[in-house]
Amino acid sequence: DNKKLCLNSGEIIKLTPHITMMFEVEDLYWASPATVSRCGMVYMEPVTLGLEPLVKSWLNTIPEKVMNHPGMVERIEELFNYYAYPMIDFVRRNLPEIVKSMDNNLL
């Protein structure tokens, strides 16, 4: 990649080799085919995935010292099942949101 950030205004900003930019977008409505192909984006609706893949992915990043403790990962999963998922359900049923959020933003 040429490490240039091209803005809608026509301005082009040259990025140094040490800069990496990552963007998270709600949808790809304004993305050009060139942007999609360069970034290698894969878009999936968060609603279709649910929270389980996110939690399992996070559990895979837990330090080895913790992972080696017998039953620790299972206990963390139990805590998510007991506290996190019911909390999100409670928020969705009982609290109005001024700004719409996804479940994974509430963890």
Side-chain angles (χ1 to χ4, degrees):
D1 197 9
N2 58 14
K3 299 287 261 185
K4 291 182 182 177
L5 180 61
C6 302
L7 304 178
N8 284 342
S9 64
E11 184 180 358
I12 298 174
I13 300 172
K14 178 83 170 126
L15 304 176
T16 67
H18 305 288
I19 295 176
T20 300
M21 298 184 86
M22 194 178 319
F23 298 94
E24 181 178 344
V25 296
E26 184 176 338
D27 59 45
L28 298 175
Y29 186 79
W30 297 105
S32 69
T35 300
V36 174
S37 66
R38 278 197 189 107
C39 295
M41 294 180 192
V42 175
Y43 183 75
M44 297 183 74
E45 291 285 342
V47 174
T48 61
L49 292 175
L51 286 175
E52 192 172 334
L54 178 67
V55 172
K56 287 197 180 291
S57 175
W58 175 75
L59 286 171
N60 289 332
T61 67
I62 293 176
E64 192 174 323
K65 196 178 227 182
V66 176
M67 294 281 273
N68 290 339
H69 191 277
M72 182 59 71
V73 174
E74 293 79 13
R75 180 67 179 140
I76 294 171
E77 285 178 321
E78 288 173 10
L79 291 171
F80 267 97
N81 290 331
Y82 189 79
Y83 290 107
Y85 300 133
M87 178 270 309
I88 290 171
D89 186 50
F90 174 84
V91 168
R92 293 286 179 229
R93 284 186 287 115
N94 299 299
L95 304 174
E97 288 187 294
I98 296 171
V99 177
K100 186 179 175 185
S101 66
M102 304 302 294
D103 288 351
N104 59 349
N105 297 122
L106 298 177
L107 284 179

